[in-house]
Amino acid sequence: NRGMEVCVPAVTNRAGMVNKFTGDGMLAVFGVPLPCDPSTEAKAAVEAAFEIKDGLERLNEELIAKGAPTMRVRMGIHSGEALVGSMGSPERIEYAVIGDAVNCASRLESYQKDLHEGVLRVLLSSATLELLPQAFRDKLLLNYWGQIQVKGRDEPLDVSELKFEHAKASV
């Protein structure tokens, strides 16, 4: 819960929505229920990652002081179309977000879990990077991972890791 207290506001303060909690994770989306400019949505997702990283570092300092285990988080960011809306049956209905874009983001989050430095690892697809305004993108430090094949998809994803060491938190 303490970790979610860091993550949720980072999303919602940028017009994003936390669609669901998945055990120790969450599915956050931007551009729903009312879409806006895809460039704005992509930028908001990356800005949220910076806020989450800073918040997790502060939280981990508190946890270390209490002798508690620290947190590390992985994030996958992918842009594309999704089917959104109320889905289910009369007995149980929920607001759902489904589709290739959601699956790709999930696969990026879980890809090679052991390759994780620092408190936050963020893998971005080229679909998201291409939407970012050039001036914003130029401020990012990226480590290109290349094309990776993810489960459930014929086409590979072109992927980069967002690095935080020298990137500006105020991007």
Side-chain angles (χ1 to χ4, degrees), residues 72 74 110-117 121 145:
R72 291 175 12 131
R74 291 181 317 276
S110 63
Y111 186 76
Q112 293 193 357
K113 295 177 181 184
D114 56 320
L115 297 178
H116 186 159
E117 298 172 2
R121 184 194 80 178
W145 282 36

Side-chain angles (χ1 to χ4, degrees), residues 53-69:
K53 179 237 173 222
D54 291 343
L56 288 174
E57 287 176 343
R58 286 189 301 276
L59 174 59
N60 280 346
E61 288 173 7
E62 293 174 27
L63 294 172
I64 289 168
K66 294 179 179 181

Side-chain angles (χ1 to χ4, degrees), residues 83-136:
L83 180 62
V84 298
S86 297
M87 296 180 198
S89 71
E91 290 83 28
R92 184 174 188 288
I93 196 162
E94 68 179 50
Y95 189 81
V97 182
I98 60 173
D100 183 60
V102 177
N103 293 339
C104 288
S106 176
R107 300 294 189 252
L108 289 175
E109 178 276 327
S110 63
Y111 186 76
Q112 293 193 357
K113 295 177 181 184
D114 56 320
L115 297 178
H116 186 159
E117 298 172 2
V119 297
L120 178 62
R121 184 194 80 178
V122 179
L123 294 184
L124 298 157
S125 73
S126 61
T128 297
L129 285 173
E130 290 167 5
L131 290 172
L132 296 173
Q134 191 62 49
F136 180 82

